Amino acid sequence: DAKTTQPPSMDCAEGRAANLPCNHSTISGNEYVYWYRQIHSQGPQYIIHGLKNNETNEMASLIITEDRKSSTLILPHATLRDTAVYYCIVRVFTSNYQLIWGAGTKLIIKP
Amino acid sequence: GAVVSQHPSWVICKSGTSVKIECRSLDFQATTMFWYRQFPKQSLMLMATSNEGSKATYEQGVEKDKFLINHASLTLSTLTVTSAHPEDSSFYICSFTGGLEQYFGPGTRLTVT
């Protein structure tokens, strides 16, 4: 079972910041939080990951709460091309570092 | 990030035939590769994990004799759907791990008629 919960859908106006929440209350101390997105009929695209510090890259920022039980992905200036399903995933430390996929959040960017 | 290719990108086959899907890592040597399938409006479901040179490990409920996985080299893994049936119609995605990141192929849309 997925270790994360996300809202099923969200809307955001083009040009605005999109803030996507994720709960992972059972996360273990050495498990990372990953974010991927999947545009319709394409393979997932890596966005960002973090352990406990906030992270930023050219695509997005990841804010992880101090207790690590939740996180927020921020797309600073959403465009129509950011419309996709966004998956928040906890990387389980099995022998093969398996990703456990939840249902994700369908983000719709509106003009 | 690393580049992963899949071939074919889509395929239509008749019920009872077999289909082979290739997954290549173009700029990375992958010791471990993953195969997922995704039904419409659902999330990715892990089918199996394969390590180069050894037998694949299948998830519960995935028939190993139906979904044959070969990870013959560090850059190539194949998934063969044997005796395909309409219920095997799905989006198949390969992936491999490179350190802390996991890279995904573009997917193969299989339709069995």
Side-chain angles (χ1 to χ4, degrees):
Chain A
D1 291 341
K3 297 185 68 172
T4 62
T5 56
Q6 299 175 252
S9 65
M10 291 181 65
D11 292 344
C12 179
E14 188 179 18
R16 294 298 197 92
N19 296 275
L20 291 91
C22 179
N23 288 318
H24 30 79
S25 58
T26 61
I27 193 170
S28 299
N30 59 352
E31 290 177 333
Y32 285 75
V33 178
Y34 282 75
W35 283 84
Y36 285 80
R37 71 181 182 184
Q38 188 177 25
I39 296 170
H40 182 63
S41 293
Q42 296 183 24
Q45 177 189 20
Y46 166 81
I47 301 174
I48 200 167
H49 73 275
L51 183 62
K52 53 184 177 181
N53 296 322
N54 298 336
E55 303 287 344
T56 296
N57 62 22
E58 64 278 4
M59 287 184 68
S61 295
L62 174 61
I63 309 298
I64 302 175
T65 58
E66 193 170 341
D67 63 8
R68 302 211 324 126
K69 292 185 177 181
S70 65
S71 61
T72 301
L73 178 75
I74 301 172
L75 307 178
H77 304 288
T79 70
L80 298 179
R81 289 182 296 179
D82 292 321
T83 292
V85 178
Y86 286 75
Y87 294 96
C88 168
I89 302 164
V90 169
R91 193 175 197 185
V92 178
F93 275 70
T94 64
S95 59
N96 286 314
Y97 296 96
Q98 185 179 133
L99 295 175
I100 308 297
W101 297 77
T105 295
K106 171 69 172 177
L107 176 65
I108 299 173
I109 307 300
K110 297 188 173 181
Chain B
V3 178
V4 184
S5 70
Q6 278 185 244
H7 178 79
S9 56
W10 60 271
V11 57
I12 301 172
C13 71
K14 292 186 177 180
S15 185
T17 61
S18 296
V19 174
K20 178 184 284 188
I21 301 170
E22 288 189 353
C23 175
R24 293 182 184 272
S25 60
L26 301 182
D27 54 358
F28 191 86
Q29 293 188 325
T31 55
T32 301
M33 298 190 89
F34 305 91
W35 284 95
Y36 295 85
R37 63 181 167 184
Q38 185 177 32
F39 295 106
K41 297 188 178 181
Q42 294 187 23
S43 186
L44 279 71
M45 295 170 50
L46 180 66
M47 298 176 66
T49 302
S50 73
N51 293 298
E52 186 261 341
S54 62
K55 290 184 178 180
T57 302
Y58 290 81
E59 295 298 301
Q60 191 173 8
V62 178
E63 301 174 56
K64 63 180 181 180
D65 295 330
K66 181 173 183 61
F67 298 99
L68 303 179
I69 292 172
N70 185 295
H71 191 168
S73 76
L74 292 173
T75 60
L76 173 65
S77 176
T78 61
L79 168 67
T80 302
V81 183
T82 62
S83 187
H85 289 98
E87 56 265 31
D88 299 323
S89 297
S90 188
F91 192 53
Y92 291 86
I93 306 168
C94 68
S95 171
F96 68 88
T97 295
L100 287 178
E101 295 184 23
Q102 191 163 340
Y103 304 102
F104 291 84
T108 296
R109 174 76 57 192
L110 170 63
T111 301
V112 184
T113 61

PDB file of all heavy atoms in Angstrom, chain B residues 80-103:
ATOM      1  N   THR B  80       8.227  -9.710 -22.480  1.00  0.00           N
ATOM      2  CA  THR B  80       7.427 -10.405 -23.487  1.00  0.00           C
ATOM      3  C   THR B  80       6.108 -10.818 -22.865  1.00  0.00           C
ATOM      4  O   THR B  80       6.097 -11.545 -21.864  1.00  0.00           O
ATOM      5  CB  THR B  80       8.159 -11.646 -24.032  1.00  0.00           C
ATOM      6  OG1 THR B  80       9.413 -11.256 -24.603  1.00  0.00           O
ATOM      7  CG2 THR B  80       7.323 -12.331 -25.105  1.00  0.00           C
ATOM      8  N   VAL B  81       5.041 -10.344 -23.457  1.00  0.00           N
ATOM      9  CA  VAL B  81       3.700 -10.742 -23.030  1.00  0.00           C
ATOM     10  C   VAL B  81       3.305 -11.929 -23.889  1.00  0.00           C
ATOM     11  O   VAL B  81       3.123 -11.796 -25.108  1.00  0.00           O
ATOM     12  CB  VAL B  81       2.687  -9.598 -23.201  1.00  0.00           C
ATOM     13  CG1 VAL B  81       1.314 -10.017 -22.680  1.00  0.00           C
ATOM     14  CG2 VAL B  81       3.169  -8.343 -22.491  1.00  0.00           C
ATOM     15  N   THR B  82       3.227 -13.091 -23.288  1.00  0.00           N
ATOM     16  CA  THR B  82       2.933 -14.307 -24.054  1.00  0.00           C
ATOM     17  C   THR B  82       1.434 -14.586 -24.062  1.00  0.00           C
ATOM     18  O   THR B  82       0.737 -14.311 -23.087  1.00  0.00           O
ATOM     19  CB  THR B  82       3.673 -15.512 -23.468  1.00  0.00           C
ATOM     20  OG1 THR B  82       3.207 -15.733 -22.129  1.00  0.00           O
ATOM     21  CG2 THR B  82       5.178 -15.268 -23.434  1.00  0.00           C
ATOM     22  N   SER B  83       0.968 -15.115 -25.186  1.00  0.00           N
ATOM     23  CA  SER B  83      -0.446 -15.450 -25.329  1.00  0.00           C
ATOM     24  C   SER B  83      -1.328 -14.320 -24.786  1.00  0.00           C
ATOM     25  O   SER B  83      -2.111 -14.502 -23.850  1.00  0.00           O
ATOM     26  CB  SER B  83      -0.753 -16.759 -24.602  1.00  0.00           C
ATOM     27  OG  SER B  83      -2.081 -17.180 -24.859  1.00  0.00           O
ATOM     28  N   ALA B  84      -1.154 -13.175 -25.393  1.00  0.00           N
ATOM     29  CA  ALA B  84      -1.835 -11.978 -24.895  1.00  0.00           C
ATOM     30  C   ALA B  84      -3.348 -12.097 -25.022  1.00  0.00           C
ATOM     31  O   ALA B  84      -3.868 -12.689 -25.981  1.00  0.00           O
ATOM     32  CB  ALA B  84      -1.336 -10.753 -25.654  1.00  0.00           C
ATOM     33  N   HIS B  85      -4.032 -11.527 -24.053  1.00  0.00           N
ATOM     34  CA  HIS B  85      -5.489 -11.461 -24.062  1.00  0.00           C
ATOM     35  C   HIS B  85      -5.927 -10.015 -23.904  1.00  0.00           C
ATOM     36  O   HIS B  85      -5.145  -9.166 -23.453  1.00  0.00           O
ATOM     37  CB  HIS B  85      -6.064 -12.337 -22.945  1.00  0.00           C
ATOM     38  CG  HIS B  85      -5.915 -13.794 -23.202  1.00  0.00           C
ATOM     39  ND1 HIS B  85      -4.898 -14.545 -22.661  1.00  0.00           N
ATOM     40  CD2 HIS B  85      -6.628 -14.651 -23.976  1.00  0.00           C
ATOM     41  CE1 HIS B  85      -4.996 -15.789 -23.068  1.00  0.00           C
ATOM     42  NE2 HIS B  85      -6.031 -15.887 -23.863  1.00  0.00           N
ATOM     43  N   PRO B  86      -7.160  -9.711 -24.248  1.00  0.00           N
ATOM     44  CA  PRO B  86      -7.620  -8.320 -24.140  1.00  0.00           C
ATOM     45  C   PRO B  86      -7.396  -7.703 -22.761  1.00  0.00           C
ATOM     46  O   PRO B  86      -7.122  -6.506 -22.668  1.00  0.00           O
ATOM     47  CB  PRO B  86      -9.104  -8.436 -24.479  1.00  0.00           C
ATOM     48  CG  PRO B  86      -9.179  -9.576 -25.439  1.00  0.00           C
ATOM     49  CD  PRO B  86      -8.164 -10.566 -24.929  1.00  0.00           C
ATOM     50  N   GLU B  87      -7.468  -8.498 -21.709  1.00  0.00           N
ATOM     51  CA  GLU B  87      -7.264  -7.929 -20.370  1.00  0.00           C
ATOM     52  C   GLU B  87      -5.816  -7.533 -20.103  1.00  0.00           C
ATOM     53  O   GLU B  87      -5.515  -6.891 -19.090  1.00  0.00           O
ATOM     54  CB  GLU B  87      -7.732  -8.917 -19.286  1.00  0.00           C
ATOM     55  CG  GLU B  87      -7.073 -10.275 -19.349  1.00  0.00           C
ATOM     56  CD  GLU B  87      -7.903 -11.282 -20.122  1.00  0.00           C
ATOM     57  OE1 GLU B  87      -8.620 -10.878 -21.062  1.00  0.00           O
ATOM     58  OE2 GLU B  87      -7.808 -12.490 -19.793  1.00  0.00           O
ATOM     59  N   ASP B  88      -4.903  -7.937 -21.017  1.00  0.00           N
ATOM     60  CA  ASP B  88      -3.507  -7.506 -20.909  1.00  0.00           C
ATOM     61  C   ASP B  88      -3.284  -6.139 -21.538  1.00  0.00           C
ATOM     62  O   ASP B  88      -2.180  -5.579 -21.444  1.00  0.00           O
ATOM     63  CB  ASP B  88      -2.579  -8.518 -21.577  1.00  0.00           C
ATOM     64  CG  ASP B  88      -2.653  -9.893 -20.929  1.00  0.00           C
ATOM     65  OD1 ASP B  88      -2.793  -9.950 -19.692  1.00  0.00           O
ATOM     66  OD2 ASP B  88      -2.598 -10.901 -21.662  1.00  0.00           O
ATOM     67  N   SER B  89      -4.299  -5.610 -22.188  1.00  0.00           N
ATOM     68  CA  SER B  89      -4.188  -4.278 -22.772  1.00  0.00           C
ATOM     69  C   SER B  89      -3.906  -3.280 -21.656  1.00  0.00           C
ATOM     70  O   SER B  89      -4.643  -3.191 -20.676  1.00  0.00           O
ATOM     71  CB  SER B  89      -5.488  -3.903 -23.486  1.00  0.00           C
ATOM     72  OG  SER B  89      -5.742  -4.788 -24.565  1.00  0.00           O
ATOM     73  N   SER B  90      -2.827  -2.559 -21.815  1.00  0.00           N
ATOM     74  CA  SER B  90      -2.402  -1.651 -20.749  1.00  0.00           C
ATOM     75  C   SER B  90      -1.262  -0.794 -21.261  1.00  0.00           C
ATOM     76  O   SER B  90      -0.817  -0.922 -22.407  1.00  0.00           O
ATOM     77  CB  SER B  90      -1.952  -2.456 -19.520  1.00  0.00           C
ATOM     78  OG  SER B  90      -1.710  -1.623 -18.404  1.00  0.00           O
ATOM     79  N   PHE B  91      -0.783   0.075 -20.402  1.00  0.00           N
ATOM     80  CA  PHE B  91       0.384   0.918 -20.672  1.00  0.00           C
ATOM     81  C   PHE B  91       1.534   0.328 -19.865  1.00  0.00           C
ATOM     82  O   PHE B  91       1.456   0.254 -18.636  1.00  0.00           O
ATOM     83  CB  PHE B  91       0.061   2.351 -20.238  1.00  0.00           C
ATOM     84  CG  PHE B  91       1.034   3.402 -20.689  1.00  0.00           C
ATOM     85  CD1 PHE B  91       1.374   3.519 -22.032  1.00  0.00           C
ATOM     86  CD2 PHE B  91       1.587   4.290 -19.794  1.00  0.00           C
ATOM     87  CE1 PHE B  91       2.262   4.492 -22.455  1.00  0.00           C
ATOM     88  CE2 PHE B  91       2.466   5.281 -20.217  1.00  0.00           C
ATOM     89  CZ  PHE B  91       2.806   5.387 -21.551  1.00  0.00           C
ATOM     90  N   TYR B  92       2.577  -0.111 -20.552  1.00  0.00           N
ATOM     91  CA  TYR B  92       3.701  -0.768 -19.885  1.00  0.00           C
ATOM     92  C   TYR B  92       4.895   0.190 -19.855  1.00  0.00           C
ATOM     93  O   TYR B  92       5.264   0.773 -20.883  1.00  0.00           O
ATOM     94  CB  TYR B  92       4.077  -2.064 -20.604  1.00  0.00           C
ATOM     95  CG  TYR B  92       3.010  -3.130 -20.458  1.00  0.00           C
ATOM     96  CD1 TYR B  92       1.930  -3.188 -21.334  1.00  0.00           C
ATOM     97  CD2 TYR B  92       3.067  -4.058 -19.425  1.00  0.00           C
ATOM     98  CE1 TYR B  92       0.937  -4.141 -21.186  1.00  0.00           C
ATOM     99  CE2 TYR B  92       2.084  -5.017 -19.268  1.00  0.00           C
ATOM    100  CZ  TYR B  92       1.020  -5.055 -20.153  1.00  0.00           C
ATOM    101  OH  TYR B  92       0.025  -6.000 -19.988  1.00  0.00           O
ATOM    102  N   ILE B  93       5.477   0.342 -18.684  1.00  0.00           N
ATOM    103  CA  ILE B  93       6.551   1.316 -18.487  1.00  0.00           C
ATOM    104  C   ILE B  93       7.732   0.630 -17.832  1.00  0.00           C
ATOM    105  O   ILE B  93       7.569  -0.089 -16.851  1.00  0.00           O
ATOM    106  CB  ILE B  93       6.088   2.478 -17.583  1.00  0.00           C
ATOM    107  CG1 ILE B  93       4.811   3.118 -18.128  1.00  0.00           C
ATOM    108  CG2 ILE B  93       7.183   3.527 -17.451  1.00  0.00           C
ATOM    109  CD1 ILE B  93       4.149   4.075 -17.144  1.00  0.00           C
ATOM    110  N   CYS B  94       8.914   0.874 -18.366  1.00  0.00           N
ATOM    111  CA  CYS B  94      10.112   0.340 -17.733  1.00  0.00           C
ATOM    112  C   CYS B  94      10.818   1.458 -16.985  1.00  0.00           C
ATOM    113  O   CYS B  94      10.590   2.643 -17.243  1.00  0.00           O
ATOM    114  CB  CYS B  94      11.046  -0.302 -18.753  1.00  0.00           C
ATOM    115  SG  CYS B  94      11.817   0.861 -19.892  1.00  0.00           S
ATOM    116  N   SER B  95      11.681   1.057 -16.084  1.00  0.00           N
ATOM    117  CA  SER B  95      12.356   2.038 -15.253  1.00  0.00           C
ATOM    118  C   SER B  95      13.634   1.435 -14.709  1.00  0.00           C
ATOM    119  O   SER B  95      13.751   0.206 -14.590  1.00  0.00           O
ATOM    120  CB  SER B  95      11.433   2.430 -14.097  1.00  0.00           C
ATOM    121  OG  SER B  95      12.103   3.230 -13.152  1.00  0.00           O
ATOM    122  N   PHE B  96      14.572   2.260 -14.368  1.00  0.00           N
ATOM    123  CA  PHE B  96      15.743   1.764 -13.660  1.00  0.00           C
ATOM    124  C   PHE B  96      16.226   2.796 -12.661  1.00  0.00           C
ATOM    125  O   PHE B  96      15.904   3.979 -12.750  1.00  0.00           O
ATOM    126  CB  PHE B  96      16.848   1.342 -14.628  1.00  0.00           C
ATOM    127  CG  PHE B  96      17.478   2.474 -15.379  1.00  0.00           C
ATOM    128  CD1 PHE B  96      18.559   3.169 -14.856  1.00  0.00           C
ATOM    129  CD2 PHE B  96      17.011   2.845 -16.628  1.00  0.00           C
ATOM    130  CE1 PHE B  96      19.147   4.200 -15.552  1.00  0.00           C
ATOM    131  CE2 PHE B  96      17.597   3.881 -17.330  1.00  0.00           C
ATOM    132  CZ  PHE B  96      18.667   4.560 -16.789  1.00  0.00           C
ATOM    133  N   THR B  97      16.981   2.292 -11.713  1.00  0.00           N
ATOM    134  CA  THR B  97      17.485   3.139 -10.633  1.00  0.00           C
ATOM    135  C   THR B  97      18.909   3.561 -10.909  1.00  0.00           C
ATOM    136  O   THR B  97      19.748   2.736 -11.259  1.00  0.00           O
ATOM    137  CB  THR B  97      17.423   2.383  -9.302  1.00  0.00           C
ATOM    138  OG1 THR B  97      16.072   2.122  -8.971  1.00  0.00           O
ATOM    139  CG2 THR B  97      18.050   3.205  -8.189  1.00  0.00           C
ATOM    140  N   GLY B  98      19.143   4.859 -10.735  1.00  0.00           N
ATOM    141  CA  GLY B  98      20.494   5.369 -10.840  1.00  0.00           C
ATOM    142  C   GLY B  98      20.807   6.147  -9.579  1.00  0.00           C
ATOM    143  O   GLY B  98      20.460   7.319  -9.475  1.00  0.00           O
ATOM    144  N   GLY B  99      21.378   5.516  -8.605  1.00  0.00           N
ATOM    145  CA  GLY B  99      21.613   6.194  -7.340  1.00  0.00           C
ATOM    146  C   GLY B  99      20.300   6.455  -6.621  1.00  0.00           C
ATOM    147  O   GLY B  99      19.489   5.561  -6.436  1.00  0.00           O
ATOM    148  N   LEU B 100      20.040   7.697  -6.263  1.00  0.00           N
ATOM    149  CA  LEU B 100      18.831   8.044  -5.548  1.00  0.00           C
ATOM    150  C   LEU B 100      17.671   8.370  -6.486  1.00  0.00           C
ATOM    151  O   LEU B 100      16.560   8.592  -6.035  1.00  0.00           O
ATOM    152  CB  LEU B 100      19.070   9.246  -4.623  1.00  0.00           C
ATOM    153  CG  LEU B 100      19.907   8.983  -3.370  1.00  0.00           C
ATOM    154  CD1 LEU B 100      20.096  10.271  -2.576  1.00  0.00           C
ATOM    155  CD2 LEU B 100      19.272   7.911  -2.497  1.00  0.00           C
ATOM    156  N   GLU B 101      17.911   8.407  -7.779  1.00  0.00           N
ATOM    157  CA  GLU B 101      16.851   8.725  -8.712  1.00  0.00           C
ATOM    158  C   GLU B 101      16.393   7.480  -9.458  1.00  0.00           C
ATOM    159  O   GLU B 101      17.124   6.502  -9.556  1.00  0.00           O
ATOM    160  CB  GLU B 101      17.322   9.790  -9.706  1.00  0.00           C
ATOM    161  CG  GLU B 101      17.627  11.132  -9.052  1.00  0.00           C
ATOM    162  CD  GLU B 101      17.994  12.191 -10.069  1.00  0.00           C
ATOM    163  OE1 GLU B 101      17.613  12.046 -11.244  1.00  0.00           O
ATOM    164  OE2 GLU B 101      18.670  13.158  -9.686  1.00  0.00           O
ATOM    165  N   GLN B 102      15.183   7.529  -9.944  1.00  0.00           N
ATOM    166  CA  GLN B 102      14.650   6.448 -10.766  1.00  0.00           C
ATOM    167  C   GLN B 102      14.175   7.057 -12.078  1.00  0.00           C
ATOM    168  O   GLN B 102      13.428   8.029 -12.078  1.00  0.00           O
ATOM    169  CB  GLN B 102      13.502   5.729 -10.052  1.00  0.00           C
ATOM    170  CG  GLN B 102      13.092   4.433 -10.736  1.00  0.00           C
ATOM    171  CD  GLN B 102      12.271   3.530  -9.836  1.00  0.00           C
ATOM    172  OE1 GLN B 102      12.283   3.660  -8.630  1.00  0.00           O
ATOM    173  NE2 GLN B 102      11.534   2.603 -10.444  1.00  0.00           N
ATOM    174  N   TYR B 103      14.625   6.472 -13.172  1.00  0.00           N
ATOM    175  CA  TYR B 103      14.335   7.010 -14.492  1.00  0.00           C
ATOM    176  C   TYR B 103      13.337   6.104 -15.200  1.00  0.00           C
ATOM    177  O   TYR B 103      13.384   4.885 -15.076  1.00  0.00           O
ATOM    178  CB  TYR B 103      15.621   7.110 -15.316  1.00  0.00           C
ATOM    179  CG  TYR B 103      16.696   7.919 -14.634  1.00  0.00           C
ATOM    180  CD1 TYR B 103      17.759   7.293 -13.982  1.00  0.00           C
ATOM    181  CD2 TYR B 103      16.658   9.308 -14.632  1.00  0.00           C
ATOM    182  CE1 TYR B 103      18.733   8.027 -13.345  1.00  0.00           C
ATOM    183  CE2 TYR B 103      17.634  10.053 -14.002  1.00  0.00           C
ATOM    184  CZ  TYR B 103      18.666   9.407 -13.357  1.00  0.00           C
ATOM    185  OH  TYR B 103      19.636  10.139 -12.718  1.00  0.00           O
TER     186      TYR B 103
END
